[in-house]
Amino acid sequence: MNENPQPDWDPRSPTVLDDQIAAYDRMRNRCPVAHSDYLQWSVFRHADVMRVLEDHDTFSNAVSRHPSVPNGMDPPEHTTYRALIEPYFAPERVWAFEPVCRSIAVELVDDLPRAGEVELMGEFAGEFALRIQCAFMGWPAELHEPLRQWARRNHEATLAGDRSATAAVALEFDGYIRGLLGMRREAGSATPDDVTTRLLNEWIGGRPLTDEEIVSIVRNWTVGELGTIAASIGILVHYLATHPDLQQRLRENPSLLPPAIDEILRIHAPLIANRRITTRAVEIGGRRLEAGARLSLIWASANRDEAVFGEPDEFRFGRDPSHNLLYGAGIHVCPGADLARLELRVVMEEFLARTRGIVLVPERPPVRATYPASGFPSLTLRIDRPR
């Protein structure tokens, strides 16, 4: 018998949007697999999310009408493309990128005011994410401003839920990438040896990658990078501004930053959710879902599940890293996790090393992001810099 469920909650209600994390905590305990008109099925518990991640035969990643390489694919297709992509994030390539990453971080921190207030997201976090992605891909500085404006329009269209505007913004981004591919083909042997050029020379299944496939790969890397890295920086700095003892401990002991970053981003997720679709009828969390049911895996809830982590807001070193779903799990675990960890470690090392104190400005309280974004679209700080 098909279930025709009534809504269990409204993800767009003021009480949810006012504090997403707290709302997801309530749902995890009240209705761990919940239906809504907006998101269809939302999965809140760690165990249920892990079940979905590990059963890709039942819970498919092919949720979009548009090609998404390899995020929107299932095995065996996903396996082939994933094998092509993983070498781009090999440890030696990530390590080789550290000096470039550090140079960008140092420049941006040094450009901050010596005293007074700073709006972190616009003046620092978003700029770091943009410049670091362009550097990794080998894109010219001339692309910084167009991408900066594009990221703003994409954010606005996504928050507004305007599908036509979102589609137009996506098409605009694709145009940038196709233009870069065209210029590199015209350059011939003079084209630089970087990530974008290497993608042009990749083959799969005995044929070259198509432009559509390259654009999809680059879109997935770039859209995720710009939004998530910027959100992560905002979350990290906000947390340290509100926990001065930990802030000072990390300033004095930067070797503690890697586990501290993962733990802070467990407490406050920079990425709210990912989507799946059922391939057959299934029961999960006491609810029956028919084939074709759409799910949202709520990372921002699963990573705070009391059954796994105890008190969700407790910061603790030494947690089992395999439980932390910051970068996902299973065959679709983020291939760029090591790169993201490097970028966040380096930027926080330089931010803390070049400041003596970070505090919030009570007169300008942080603005919380609303679904599907996370973090703080606006975060004003007062930074004490060494003389």
Side-chain angles (χ1 to χ4, degrees):
M1 179 183 296
N2 288 344
E3 183 180 357
N4 185 22
Q6 295 297 311
D8 298 304
W9 71 311
D10 180 2
R12 293 175 292 182
S13 71
T15 55
V16 171
L17 295 182
D18 181 61
D19 188 340
Q20 292 184 87
I21 305 299
Y24 301 150
D25 285 348
R26 293 191 296 269
M27 290 303 300
R28 182 175 61 252
N29 292 287
R30 181 176 74 81
C31 188
V33 177
H35 190 269
S36 67
D37 294 333
Y38 180 48
L39 296 179
Q40 293 203 18
W41 295 99
S42 297
V43 182
F44 293 96
R45 290 192 306 201
H46 191 280
D48 292 331
V49 168
M50 285 299 299
R51 178 185 167 189
V52 172
L53 296 176
E54 292 169 351
D55 184 1
H56 46 78
D57 290 331
T58 303
F59 302 97
S60 169
N61 260 54
V63 297
S64 175
R65 295 171 297 173
H66 306 290
S68 180
V69 183
N71 307 41
M73 295 176 169
D74 299 315
E77 187 180 31
H78 169 269
T79 308
T80 304
Y81 283 93
R82 180 78 183 215
L84 180 148
I85 283 170
E86 285 186 341
Y88 287 84
F89 303 99
E92 59 273 17
R93 286 189 172 175
V94 172
W95 298 334
F97 187 60
E98 180 166 349
V100 176
C101 181
R102 192 171 299 279
S103 175
I104 293 170
V106 168
E107 180 182 344
L108 289 175
V109 175
D110 286 348
D111 283 346
L112 293 173
R114 301 298 302 179
E117 297 177 3
V118 173
E119 200 296 293
L120 185 84
M121 301 312 295
E123 296 182 35
F124 183 79
E127 189 66 18
F128 176 80
L130 171 71
R131 290 181 56 179
I132 212 73
Q133 177 65 6
C134 288
F136 180 74
M137 295 300 298
W139 295 344
E142 291 78 13
L143 198 58
H144 289 178
E145 185 57 30
L147 271 180
R148 191 177 293 112
Q149 296 302 320
W150 173 86
R152 178 184 57 78
R153 289 191 294 273
N154 183 61
H155 178 73
E156 291 171 353
T158 301
L159 288 182
D162 186 333
R163 292 186 177 182
S164 62
T166 302
V169 171
L171 195 62
E172 178 186 352
F173 178 83
D174 293 357
Y176 293 140
I177 306 309
R178 291 179 189 277
L180 287 169
L181 298 181
M183 286 188 290
R184 285 161 187 268
R185 287 191 175 103
E186 291 174 4
S189 60
T191 192
D193 179 22
D194 56 30
V195 170
T196 306
T197 299
R198 287 195 290 271
L199 283 171
L200 267 175
N201 296 321
E202 292 283 5
W203 285 56
I204 194 162
R207 62 166 178 80
L209 280 179
T210 66
D211 280 9
E212 288 74 17
E213 289 167 330
I214 296 173
V215 167
S216 179
I217 291 168
V218 173
R219 185 194 309 118
N220 283 331
W221 289 354
T222 304
V223 174
E225 178 83 355
L226 294 182
T228 310
I229 291 295
S232 295
I233 294 170
I235 291 166
L236 292 168
V237 174
H238 176 269
Y239 193 89
L240 296 183
T242 55
H243 295 79
D245 291 345
L246 179 61
Q247 177 188 150
Q248 191 56 31
R249 185 180 180 188
L250 295 177
R251 188 175 278 112
E252 295 170 355
N253 299 279
S255 63
L256 296 175
L257 271 168
I261 289 170
D262 278 11
E263 176 69 348
I264 293 168
L265 298 179
R266 177 199 66 78
I267 294 170
H268 187 163
L271 180 65
I272 295 294
N274 276 143
R275 298 181 297 162
R276 297 291 191 275
I277 187 169
T278 56
T279 61
R280 55 191 173 219
V282 64
E283 185 171 307
I284 183 169
R287 308 298 292 267
R288 177 177 172 82
L289 281 61
E290 300 300 329
R294 294 184 174 272
L295 294 79
S296 292
L297 308 183
I298 310 295
W299 308 117
S301 170
N303 249 0
R304 294 171 54 81
D305 192 331
E306 296 85 350
V308 177
F309 302 104
E311 168 55 46
D313 285 310
E314 179 189 0
F315 177 96
R316 189 195 313 163
F317 285 110
R319 291 189 187 274
D320 184 345
S322 68
H323 293 158
N324 192 330
L325 298 178
L326 174 60
Y327 296 102
I331 65 169
H332 290 285
V333 67
C334 176
D338 287 345
L339 177 64
R341 285 190 168 105
L342 168 83
E343 293 170 353
L344 293 174
R345 172 180 62 80
V346 167
V347 75
M348 293 308 298
E349 282 175 355
E350 298 303 333
F351 196 89
L352 291 174
R354 286 170 158 72
T355 59
R356 294 191 301 186
I358 311 162
V359 297
L360 300 181
V361 178
E363 300 81 13
R364 293 176 176 79
V367 177
R368 288 194 183 105
T370 58
Y371 187 91
S374 185
F376 305 94
S378 177
L379 179 61
T380 303
L381 304 168
R382 187 170 289 114
I383 298 177
D384 182 17
R385 299 280 297 274
R387 299 297 178 189

